[in-house]
Amino acid sequence: MTDHLSPALKTALAYHDAWTGKDFERAMTYIADDIVCDAPAGRIEGAAAYRAFMGPFVQMLISAEMIAAFGDDETALVMYDTETVLVKHAPGAECVTVKDGRITYSRFLFDRTPFEAARQAGHQASGQPGRQPAT
């Protein structure tokens, strides 16, 4: 990557660096109050629901490795591989829309299969990404 990052990519990378660095409170400063996130488990609306979705995953995160990141003025795509206490390789990608330095929309893709397999193998799956927040 270069020193001349687009505005959306700067925000997406700052968000990614914060949550992968386990500073979830700082990560949430990049999330708009009215964020909409489409994830494998369904649509998540609002910062509180997004916090409930991502927070437990961040708690079980061991490490993350950036694969690629691209962006323009309003959209960024970040792809990475994570290691968690449940799953050694859990790749994910987020295509985000950014307005005024905050993420307003996230299309979040990841494979739920390894997490389901870990749960079926008897692991505690508390906080697994992709679980629906309690309603």
Side-chain angles (χ1 to χ4, degrees):
M1 286 182 266
T2 69
D3 291 336
H4 300 33
L5 300 177
S6 70
L9 185 55
K10 283 181 187 178
T11 299
L13 290 174
Y15 166 74
H16 180 267
D17 288 345
W19 75 260
T20 60
K22 296 190 178 189
D23 187 349
F24 192 57
E25 291 308 312
R26 184 167 57 95
M28 287 301 296
T29 67
Y30 297 102
I31 300 298
D33 292 339
D34 60 349
I35 187 171
V36 173
C37 175
D38 286 319
R43 180 161 276 197
I44 298 158
E45 297 184 43
Y50 190 80
R51 176 185 293 276
F53 169 71
M54 276 298 289
F57 179 74
V58 172
Q59 290 176 355
M60 71 174 171
L61 181 69
I62 294 171
S63 66
E65 179 183 347
M66 180 67 67
I67 296 171
F70 302 92
D72 59 25
D73 288 344
E74 293 184 1
T75 306
L77 175 64
V78 180
M79 184 175 186
Y80 47 85
D81 193 7
T82 60
E83 179 181 355
T84 72
V85 296
L86 292 177
V87 177
K88 182 138 178 86
H89 292 287
E94 296 175 69
C95 184
V96 299
T97 302
V98 176
K99 292 189 177 149
D100 299 321
R102 298 183 85 191
I103 297 169
T104 60
Y105 177 77
S106 175
R107 176 74 172 173
F108 191 1
L109 302 176
F110 59 89
D111 185 0
R112 294 173 62 179
T113 307
F115 292 95
E116 295 294 329
R119 180 170 47 230
Q120 290 175 5
H123 293 283
Q124 275 299 90
S126 173
Q128 168 188 329
R131 292 186 69 192
Q132 288 285 349
T135 55

